[in-house]
Amino acid sequence: MAPEHADLHDPETDPLATYVLEPDDVRPLLARVVSSPGHATASAVAPFTGSPVAAVPLTAPGDLPDAARRARAAQRLWAARPVAERAAVLLRVHDLLLERQSDVLDLLQVETGKARAHAWEELGDVANAARYYGLRARRMLAPRSVRGLFGPFTSARVLRHPVGVVGIVTPWNYPLSLGLGDPLPALVAGNAVLLRADPQTALTLLWGAELLEDAGLPADLLQVLVGGPDVGMALLEHVDHAGFTGSTASGRVFAGRAGELGVPVTLELGGKNAMYVADDVDVEAAAEGAVRACFGSAGQLCASIERIYVHEDVRDAFVAALVRRTAALRLRAGLDYRADMGSLVGPAQLARVVEHVEDALGHGATLLTGGEQRPDLGPYFFEPTLLADVPPTARAHREETFGPVVSVYPVASDDEAVAAMNDSELGLVAAVWTRSTARGTALAARTRAGAVVVNDTHHLLWGSVGVPIGGVGASGFGRRHGREGLWETTWTQGVVAQRGVHSGRGFGMRELHELGPDVWPRVLTRLLRAERTLRLP
């Protein structure tokens, strides 16, 4: 790999010179792909240059039965280990990630084209989640006592068991954050994971699999499959739970097949995420936050803000500050921290961004800044773009762009802002900016989104790992993060035991029924009324 602060391009030659990863560096990673002899391959492309990175072996659906068999054998032994031992692996993942960050940051940038600071956000996210679950999983998975029917005479407990084998389908845009971060709670819960990687960013996930084994994860507990929708759909036939992150259209197809097979799923799908800037804000603070919320990873993330509603009393000042800060962003291809925003991932994403901008302008939208491709920087660079006056007829008004394009709209009140933010079938993430935390949290509660952040960006939301995150409506269902994210890959078992049955010192159903069929209903009626009076749950 290149040194941490090396430039991707050779300044003494062509500025878009091909960057090639050393074959010896990637060969051990590629050997980890679940793939048969004579496999087909796919060529990942470096977004900064458009040059090939590696020929990645592809998984065929026929490779899955053996992978699932090995995963189930490994999972039985893993689930039998104490939670503390499983959690210790996650804590070692935390340490190794921070120690080896230079190599994986290089790899992330080469595969995704994102700025190095945005690549580091992925690494920091996984380390944060590994520490959280490593320290808290034991308590979250511990048996829980509840009150039984006959109070002290009844023992009632709720146990949690791993589902078995979990299938996770990850997209190309956050291969470390999702590809390594999503398996962690499933693994610490006692499951095995079959992880489907997109060919574009498979090397990063394979690096994560290697790191997990170095941290002490037994072989076969996490296996990486590389392929397209065919592999993701075939995965459903071999797992006990599945997680999918991707577009709404693809997620619905995935969920439909899962329903046919009776496999429960967690879906995080698209988002046309909105931000409201109230009339009492510090304009510069809100504009700075908006830039971070809109242009991280060139806008190629589900939690990115694409709609900003600004109170008309501060609209001019806020827009001026937002335009100034957006226009000042540094676009650059390089394996260092000198860029504020990197490249789009490839030609298809670039085409979608260009189409949305041209369509909006053709329908009468106003270009505030940006709007141009930057082939001088790399084949898929596009300037961070702000639009105003985007009409409802434009695609960018309602469709997710998944790129560095943001529409700004004026509103006259909080009520109008909430109505506008909620006017979407999608409901993933939203943000509210106001000096009053009470006002902000009240507005958040009225906003139809799975998660809302007040006076900051999705980074604060995502980094607060104890907070469950997920979508509503067409943005999916189920949650990642928090205890809810851990519990997604477990099933609950109720165990109720009656005390004193064999010693004659208890009171339960037998003693109750021995009172006779004309008596026990009256006794139970009095008991229920007494419990209601005493407020016993």
Side-chain angles (χ1 to χ4, degrees):
M1 300 301 292
E4 182 172 355
H5 296 293
D7 197 323
L8 182 65
H9 312 299
D10 184 353
E12 297 180 0
T13 60
D14 182 350
L16 296 181
T18 300
Y19 181 86
V20 180
L21 294 177
E22 291 292 334
D24 288 343
D25 287 343
V26 299
R27 190 175 294 115
L29 297 181
L30 296 177
R32 290 181 168 274
V33 178
V34 174
S35 185
S36 302
H39 51 70
T41 62
S43 293
V45 172
F48 284 158
T49 64
S51 303
V53 175
V56 182
L58 295 178
T59 304
D63 298 326
L64 294 179
D66 182 63
R69 178 190 59 77
R70 290 185 284 115
R72 292 194 181 279
Q75 186 272 331
R76 285 190 289 270
L77 298 175
W78 178 244
R81 291 195 186 185
V83 178
E85 289 186 18
R86 304 198 299 256
V89 172
L90 269 62
L91 295 177
R92 288 193 289 271
V93 167
H94 169 277
D95 297 341
L96 290 175
L97 267 175
L98 299 181
E99 290 173 12
R100 302 177 183 179
Q101 58 182 282
S102 295
D103 283 351
V104 74
L105 291 178
D106 288 348
L107 197 55
L108 263 170
Q109 286 194 272
V110 168
E111 289 196 304
T112 65
K114 62 181 61 180
R116 197 172 189 84
H118 299 150
W120 194 95
E121 289 172 0
E122 290 203 51
L123 182 142
D125 166 50
V126 178
N128 193 35
R131 187 201 71 254
Y132 175 83
Y133 285 116
L135 295 175
R136 293 179 177 266
R138 186 176 180 181
R139 179 179 299 176
M140 292 176 180
L141 295 169
R144 177 169 55 95
S145 295
V146 297
R147 188 174 184 274
L149 177 61
F150 294 107
F153 300 107
T154 306
S155 167
R157 307 178 84 202
V158 179
L159 310 182
R160 287 196 172 271
H161 301 280
V163 296
V165 177
V166 176
I168 299 177
V169 177
T170 61
W172 49 262
N173 60 326
Y174 272 76
L176 192 66
S177 187
L178 303 181
L180 183 54
D182 279 357
L184 294 182
L187 291 169
V188 79
N191 299 287
V193 173
L194 296 178
L195 181 65
R196 195 233 63 169
D198 188 286
Q200 175 61 36
T201 50
L203 291 174
T204 298
L205 275 78
L206 292 165
W207 184 93
E210 180 180 75
L211 184 86
L212 278 168
E213 289 195 13
D214 288 348
L217 190 74
D220 293 331
L221 270 176
L222 183 136
Q223 299 175 55
V224 179
L225 324 171
V226 180
D230 60 331
V231 177
M233 296 296 284
L235 185 63
L236 287 168
E237 300 177 18
H238 303 280
V239 299
D240 306 296
H241 180 94
F244 177 94
T245 302
S247 71
T248 296
S250 298
R252 284 171 170 166
V253 174
F254 188 82
R257 179 57 177 156
E260 293 174 358
L261 295 170
V263 176
V265 295
T266 301
L267 304 177
E268 185 181 289
L269 308 179
K272 189 69 174 177
N273 306 308
M275 171 186 290
Y276 172 46
V277 179
D279 55 352
D280 62 347
V281 297
D282 178 325
V283 166
E284 291 295 335
E288 187 277 333
V291 168
R292 285 188 288 114
C294 298
F295 302 119
S297 296
Q300 297 171 117
L301 66 156
C302 295
S304 184
I305 295 294
E306 294 192 6
R307 299 180 288 151
I308 301 179
Y309 298 96
V310 188
H311 196 286
E312 59 189 14
D313 289 353
V314 295
R315 180 188 182 279
D316 291 346
F318 172 81
V319 169
L322 182 62
V323 169
R324 183 182 74 253
R325 289 177 178 273
T326 301
L329 291 175
R330 299 169 299 172
L331 275 67
R332 186 176 177 277
L335 301 184
D336 54 41
Y337 288 96
R338 288 182 283 173
D340 297 315
M341 194 182 90
S343 172
L344 293 167
V345 74
Q349 206 57 36
L350 176 63
R352 181 177 179 87
V353 169
V354 170
E355 183 179 358
H356 273 216
V357 172
E358 291 181 349
D359 176 72
L361 296 176
H363 282 83
T366 301
L367 180 66
L368 299 176
T369 189
E372 297 292 334
Q373 299 181 56
R374 292 295 302 274
D376 56 313
L377 300 175
Y380 313 124
F381 276 83
F382 195 91
E383 294 176 337
T385 300
L386 297 174
L387 302 171
D389 311 313
V390 179
T393 53
R395 292 184 61 187
H397 183 82
R398 302 191 75 84
E399 293 182 23
E400 183 180 31
T401 304
F402 217 66
V405 180
V406 181
S407 304
V408 184
Y409 306 89
V411 291
S413 67
D414 290 357
D415 289 344
E416 184 180 346
V418 170
M421 288 195 293
N422 291 346
D423 185 22
S424 173
E425 68 168 354
L426 301 170
L428 188 58
V429 171
V432 175
W433 284 79
T434 171
R435 288 183 186 271
S436 169
T437 303
R439 178 184 181 186
T441 53
L443 289 169
R446 297 171 57 194
T447 302
R448 184 178 172 273
V452 184
V453 61
V454 178
N455 292 331
D456 212 298
T457 68
H458 57 270
H459 303 89
L460 180 68
L461 185 65
W462 196 271
S464 302
V465 192
V467 176
I469 297 177
V472 296
S475 288
F477 48 82
R479 294 295 181 262
R480 61 160 51 96
H481 287 183
R483 62 183 184 183
E484 291 83 356
L486 180 67
W487 289 350
E488 288 279 344
T489 60
T490 67
W491 58 275
T492 56
Q493 179 184 42
V495 178
V496 181
Q498 190 63 25
R499 298 188 177 101
V501 171
H502 301 286
S503 65
R505 297 176 182 176
F507 182 84
M509 296 303 298
R510 186 185 69 179
E511 290 78 11
L512 189 67
H513 279 271
E514 285 177 347
L515 297 175
D518 58 335
V519 176
W520 72 257
R522 296 199 302 271
V523 172
L524 200 54
T525 296
R526 292 171 185 169
L527 177 63
L528 291 172
R529 285 174 174 163
E531 290 178 332
R532 171 67 176 87
T533 301
L534 296 172
R535 302 184 66 83
L536 296 176

